[in-house]
Amino acid sequence: MDTHTKLFIPGPVEVSAKTLAAFARPVIGHRGSDFVKLYESLQGPLRDLFQTKQMVMLSTSSAWGIMEGAIRNLVRERVLCCMCGAFSDKWLDVAQRCGKQAEALQVPWGQPITGAAVAEKLATGKFDAVTLIHNETSTGVLNPLAEIAAAVRQFPNVVLIVDSVSSFSAVPIATDELGIDLLLTGSQKALALPPGLSLFTCSDRAFERAKSVEGRGYYFDLLEFKKNAEANMTPSTPSVSHIYALQSKLEDIAAEGIAARHARHEATNTLVHDWVRRQGFDFFAPEGFRSKSLTCVANSRGIDVADLVSKLKKRHRLAIDGGYGQLKGKTFRLSNMGDETVETVGHLLACLDDCLAT
Ligand SMILES: *Cc1c(COP(=O)(O)O)cnc(C)c1O
């Protein structure tokens, strides 16, 4: 009997049997021609997904590895950290621990970052880098990336570092067109792979910057990644299993079509939003800035969120999240990331109805 609890938490998300089977394939050596072929074969599909002409690089680490790496490689002196929730707030702390000067552009949790606020900070001339989380997973806020990127691009010496861990492949991100210098994502959220891999791409400006920055370390040195990627390899032994899983996922994405994948997320997200309204809850994020891949529901009805989470697990073997950090109990989060469809999200919502009724 299958007794596993299906994940509708906003990461890690449910991994399909097909992906897990790919993950379990026999390992190959990472310096042989089979690996080179494998790595090379992923570049076309990955560049399409990243909307870039740059190489897409693979790191055997969770997203924070590349988030920290971005700081260590790209911040010369002082970074502006756009902060609107748990993940984006943490970046300030990480930058400081890496010995960089860092300043917060903080908005209350639940609110988005604006291009105007970023431009105003950068106009001081104090910053050489900006960190931004596209989709703040803790609050369900989707930041206006195009507007913020346009603001940063008024300052040619400022590099823009963007985390798209929970939005990548769920919504389009025009990496090259927007002038994003480093776009990163993780494996276990929007891509629905097992946790432990991250993917990223760098602009020429980013590589140029890295050359002039001391203390890049080794494991996350972007120039090591570049050198190896040019030979279709990774600097150190990668999780080959993840790369097989990624290959399988890219086949799925090609079969569905990228535009259809975006449309599916739009449709499942709309379904959740309709449910929120029907059940008389509010949204934690304001209209116009709501994530397309997860919904942060404001507990405006004052229900016992922990009880709902535990009932859903016991009765239906489905896992949702009962609110992140300071939002525990005040919100709950429903994910429609990865492989979820109108049918599977519909099932989740019917089960939630059941648990809220009795
Ligand atoms: C989950 C998450 C992270 C952290 O990812 P790890 O894989 O735990 O390193 C970073 N950013 C966002 C937006 C996330 O949702």
Side-chain angles (χ1 to χ4, degrees):
M1 193 178 86
D2 181 11
T3 53
H4 103 282
T5 297
K6 179 171 178 181
L7 300 179
F8 278 99
I9 55 174
V13 307
E14 190 70 10
V15 180
S16 73
K18 175 177 182 280
T19 302
L20 287 175
F23 192 86
R25 288 181 60 180
V27 169
I28 55 171
H30 67 294
R31 296 296 182 220
S33 61
D34 286 346
F35 183 82
V36 166
K37 269 187 239 145
L38 170 64
Y39 188 104
E40 196 176 13
S41 73
L42 306 183
Q43 283 298 309
L46 282 175
R47 284 175 205 193
D48 289 348
L49 260 190
F50 272 85
Q51 296 187 45
T52 185
K53 292 198 170 65
Q54 311 279 343
M55 298 181 292
V56 176
M57 291 166 281
L58 307 177
S59 169
T60 298
S61 64
S62 79
W64 270 113
I66 294 301
M67 291 163 81
E68 176 166 326
I71 297 286
R72 295 184 65 175
N73 281 260
L74 300 180
V75 180
R76 209 179 270 144
E77 274 177 28
R78 187 188 294 259
V79 58
L80 179 67
C81 296
C82 299
M83 292 159 56
C84 61
F87 294 102
S88 48
D89 287 7
K90 175 98 183 139
W91 226 335
L92 179 86
D93 174 37
V94 170
Q96 287 167 340
R97 291 190 200 201
C98 291
K100 308 288 182 176
Q101 294 173 53
E103 198 172 306
L105 169 53
Q106 178 90 62
V107 299
W109 282 28
Q111 294 304 306
I113 303 290
T114 65
V118 172
E120 193 185 321
K121 282 280 191 183
L122 295 183
T124 61
K126 290 195 297 187
F127 303 99
D128 52 54
V130 171
T131 62
L132 177 73
I133 297 215
H134 182 213
N135 194 59
E136 176 46 78
T137 316
S138 63
T139 62
V141 167
L142 183 66
N143 281 307
L145 177 59
E147 172 190 312
I148 295 166
V152 176
R153 288 284 56 92
Q154 294 168 27
F155 303 87
N157 296 324
V158 176
V159 296
L160 175 59
I161 304 164
V162 179
D163 162 327
S164 65
V165 170
S166 57
S167 54
F168 182 78
S169 84
V171 297
I173 302 175
T175 308
D176 286 357
E177 196 185 310
L178 296 178
I180 297 169
D181 292 300
L182 189 151
L183 183 76
L184 72 100
T185 191
S187 54
Q188 79 276 22
K189 296 195 190 170
L191 280 174
L193 300 173
L197 186 76
S198 41
L199 302 81
F200 66 104
T201 187
C202 287
S203 68
D204 291 335
R205 180 174 28 231
F207 286 128
E208 278 310 306
R209 169 65 62 86
K211 284 181 196 164
S212 71
V213 175
E214 301 277 316
R216 300 190 302 276
Y218 171 68
Y219 197 73
F220 295 114
D221 182 355
L222 297 182
L223 300 179
E224 288 288 343
F225 274 100
K226 179 172 192 283
K227 191 175 73 190
N228 280 277
E230 282 163 356
N232 291 300
M233 284 187 210
T234 53
S236 55
T237 315
S239 170
V240 173
S241 312
H242 273 97
I243 299 176
Y244 276 132
L246 175 62
Q247 180 186 45
S248 163
K249 178 56 60 187
L250 291 171
E251 287 163 9
D252 299 347
I253 293 173
E256 181 179 23
I258 295 175
R261 182 176 174 87
H262 295 155
R264 175 166 56 80
H265 283 85
E266 180 77 43
T268 49
N269 190 245
T270 299
L271 210 58
V272 177
H273 283 205
D274 290 347
W275 177 86
V276 170
R277 293 190 189 93
R278 191 164 69 242
Q279 275 286 353
F281 288 108
D282 287 337
F283 297 92
F284 192 65
E287 175 106 56
F289 301 97
R290 290 177 191 149
S291 168
K292 299 286 182 189
S293 54
L294 73 118
T295 304
C296 187
V297 184
N299 181 16
S300 48
R301 285 174 45 184
I303 63 158
D304 183 342
V305 168
D307 183 57
L308 175 65
V309 171
S310 99
K311 254 192 212 159
L312 191 70
K313 180 167 185 217
K314 242 187 249 148
R315 283 190 200 167
H316 301 286
R317 295 205 310 272
L318 300 175
I320 61 166
D321 171 81
Y324 195 106
Q326 66 189 57
L327 299 178
K328 200 179 177 75
K330 297 183 184 140
T331 61
F332 54 96
R333 297 179 301 160
L334 309 175
S335 164
N336 60 302
M337 283 179 223
D339 304 328
E340 301 312 330
T341 63
V342 165
E343 289 71 33
T344 61
V345 171
H347 174 66
L348 166 70
L349 300 175
C351 294
L352 280 166
D353 281 339
D354 171 59
C355 294
L356 284 168
T358 50

